[in-house]
Every structure is written in C-alpha cells, then in structure tokens.
Amino acid sequence: MKTIKVSFNINNEDVALDVRPYETLLETLRERLFLTGAKEACGLGACGACTVVVNGIPLRSCLVLTPEVEGATITTVEGLREDGKLHPLQETFMEKGAVQCGFCTSGMIMTAKALLDRKKKPTKKEIVTTISSNICRCTGYKKIVEAVEEAAKRMATA
Ligand code: FES
Ligand code: FES
C-alpha cells in the first residue's frame, strides 16, 4: 500500500512516520504513537473529544489527515505535564470535579489550553463560548467553566 512520509514535533519530540495518505491524525496518535488521551467519540468533527493543539490552534484530530501536519508542532494532553507536575488545567479539573466519565476531558483541556495560551485573563463569556464547541454529557459544564477560570488565575500569578 502506498504510504507518505510525515515528520512533525509532538510533545517536544521529533517523529518521522510512514502513514497511509488518508490516515487521520487521531488514528496516528492513538494507533501508531499510543497517545490515547485524544478520544474518538463522534468521528465527525462534532464533539471535540479528539481535540489536540496544532501550531497553537485547537483542532479536531478526527478531521485532520496526518500528511497535513507535516512540519507542525503538536501538543496532546500527554504533553502538558512539565517536570513531573500537572498543568494547572489538569489540577483544577480534578479539584473542581470537572471530570466525571472523563471521555470529553482531554479535548476540553486542550481547547481551554489553547485559549489560555493566547489570552491570559479570558472573561467567563469567552471561556463559555470557547468550550461550547466541546460536548460533555456528564458535568453540566458549570464545573468545567470554574476549572478553567481557576486555572487562568493560577497561570496569571505563576
Ligand atoms: S471524535 Fe473528533 S470531533 Fe468528535
Ligand atoms: S465528563 Fe463525561 S462526557 Fe464530559
């Protein structure tokens, strides 16, 4: 079968892979790189469970073909921990009870991370609008919004 060579940086590591031309980034992450934080739920770009950050932009990895990320810098939820310490969003999601089944959590966190990376003090409305692109069937969103607000505070004072 024809394959395409693709190189990119993921979670601060350079990788080079031979992939199928129509292979999605979500498949590559989960099945080749064993990074299973990004989840497949709808597989259609509707739920956000598969969100990862590509060149600073949160993207639905089920809609991205891996050959499209040639040369990109990608962060997944597995890459958020630094020096053995969880990212503030990971801490506050746990502390605020913003995780129930957890299926949406990595996508929510990566969507929120991209927001906090570009805006240090987002308003509540900006947080709500941003995470409204991700579906959570469990939490009712209130605790997720509180977790993002608290993480923003901690990151601003760090
Ligand atoms: S699995 Fe990608 S958006 Fe739902
Ligand atoms: S915690 Fe279950 S879908 Fe969000």
Side-chain angles (χ1 to χ4, degrees):
M1 182 189 294
K2 186 182 173 218
T3 58
I4 295 180
K5 278 203 183 312
V6 187
S7 304
F8 51 87
N9 181 283
I10 184 150
N11 300 334
N12 294 320
E13 240 180 77
D14 291 328
V15 295
L17 301 168
D18 289 308
V19 301
R20 301 183 307 276
Y22 49 82
E23 182 169 318
T24 68
L25 180 57
L26 181 59
E27 289 173 320
T28 302
L29 294 176
R30 293 183 58 86
E31 293 164 24
R32 289 186 194 274
L33 300 173
F34 306 109
L35 296 169
T36 55
K39 300 288 185 280
E40 178 162 16
C42 69
L44 296 168
C47 72
C50 63
T51 303
V52 298
V53 176
V54 180
N55 294 336
I57 298 169
L59 294 183
R60 280 143 207 250
S61 59
C62 71
L63 292 186
V64 176
L65 294 179
T66 304
E68 295 180 297
V69 299
E70 169 65 31
T73 299
I74 302 172
T75 309
T76 70
V77 74
E78 290 90 346
L80 291 188
R81 197 164 54 167
E82 268 183 35
D83 300 327
K85 202 172 173 313
L86 293 178
H87 188 280
L89 280 162
Q90 292 173 306
E91 289 175 348
T92 58
F93 266 64
M94 288 192 297
E95 290 167 14
K96 296 281 182 188
V99 181
Q100 285 187 27
C101 80
F103 213 78
C104 71
T105 306
S106 63
M108 284 284 182
I109 286 178
M110 297 315 290
T111 299
K113 180 198 180 317
L115 171 67
L116 298 188
D117 283 349
R118 71 170 189 276
K119 186 138 198 187
K120 275 196 175 12
K121 291 184 182 170
T123 63
K124 184 170 188 170
K125 193 172 173 201
E126 285 168 327
I127 293 171
V128 169
T129 303
T130 299
I131 60 134
S132 69
S133 64
N134 290 53
I135 293 173
C136 176
R137 288 291 175 96
C138 306
T139 64
Y141 298 92
K142 187 170 181 290
K143 291 173 186 295
I144 292 174
V145 173
E146 287 172 7
V148 178
E149 285 180 308
E150 179 60 26
K153 275 188 212 150
R154 289 183 196 180
M155 289 167 73
T157 56

